[in-house]
Amino acid sequence: MRLALATVLALTAAPLITQSVLAQTAGVPGAPVKARVAAGTYAVDPNHTQVTWQVNHMGFSMLEGQFGASGGSITIDPAKPNATKVAVDFAIDQLSVTAAPFAGHLKSKDFFDAATYPTAKFVSTKVVATGDKATITGDLTLKGVTKPVVLQATFVGAGANPMNKKLNFGFRATTSIKRSDFNLGAYAPVVSDKVDLTINAAFAAN
């Protein structure tokens, strides 16, 4: 009896949950419809593009920080997704963490040396797209060192921005790098060498 009642409740709740999700997204101008993106070159939207990094801090906690975009573009044709070219610059000197003194420490020569290397850059070299997902291979230049990285990207959505009526679209991507590959804080071995990156990239028509 209890199992039957649970089943009935689950079946009753499912449409309500679906309606709730639809209600939350109703009226949102963006949707994962690739046909909305016209072939062309689009500038990065610096207000809505960022890379978030995460490391294991001495086994005590997970630590995160963030960089915003300072420039970049994407050349894309939905009919030829594998021909996509993307390049994004990130403002290392605008590093954001939860405490100003810690941000200053990370910007020092011990870590990012932001005074000497104020920006990082990603430039794609190969794109393999499947549906709404793509594997993007490219070169990451950070602190004067260039290494290949592979991003696992997902198309988030596209549509006309209601504020200016221009096309906006974006992607979310993940990858991991090693601090040691880029000479980042070698004196801090108790912090994980592996750094997980999450990139939210937005682009807009001029």
Side-chain angles (χ1 to χ4, degrees):
M1 178 64 73
R2 289 181 179 177
L3 179 60
L5 179 59
T7 302
V8 171
L9 290 174
L11 292 174
T12 302
L16 296 177
I17 294 172
T18 301
Q19 291 173 13
S20 176
V21 171
L22 291 175
Q24 292 175 22
T25 58
V28 173
V33 180
K34 290 179 289 185
R36 292 184 176 184
V37 180
T41 298
Y42 301 86
V44 70
D45 175 359
N47 292 327
H48 301 99
T49 298
Q50 67 276 131
V51 54
T52 300
W53 51 263
Q54 182 184 79
V55 296
N56 185 309
H57 182 245
M58 301 185 182
F60 299 141
S61 62
M62 301 305 295
L63 177 67
E64 293 186 345
Q66 191 174 85
F67 305 107
S70 57
S73 66
I74 188 171
T75 300
I76 189 170
D77 182 349
K80 302 174 182 178
N82 291 349
T84 300
K85 303 290 186 182
V86 60
V88 181
D89 296 330
F90 293 98
I92 301 300
D93 57 351
Q94 299 298 314
L95 166 70
S96 175
V97 289
T98 52
F102 184 46
H105 176 51
L106 292 177
K107 292 177 186 179
S108 74
K109 290 183 179 295
D110 289 334
F111 283 92
F112 289 102
D113 193 3
T116 305
Y117 307 102
T119 61
K121 188 178 189 71
F122 174 80
V123 179
S124 67
T125 56
K126 181 180 179 181
V127 175
V128 178
T130 304
D132 288 339
K133 298 185 181 299
T135 298
I136 304 174
T137 303
D139 292 326
L140 174 64
T141 300
L142 178 59
K143 204 177 178 181
V145 178
T146 300
K147 295 285 186 180
V149 297
V150 179
L151 308 182
Q152 300 301 326
T154 301
F155 176 52
V156 176
N161 187 323
M163 305 299 292
N164 57 20
K165 310 304 180 184
K166 295 181 179 181
L167 174 65
N168 278 226
F169 59 94
F171 302 85
R172 181 178 179 84
T174 59
T175 191
S176 295
I177 62 173
K178 291 182 178 181
R179 286 192 304 118
S180 56
D181 284 346
F182 296 93
N183 301 320
L184 293 171
Y187 82 93
V190 290
V191 177
S192 63
D193 191 33
K194 178 186 176 186
V195 182
D196 293 323
L197 303 179
T198 300
I199 303 100
N200 291 298
F203 300 89
N206 295 322

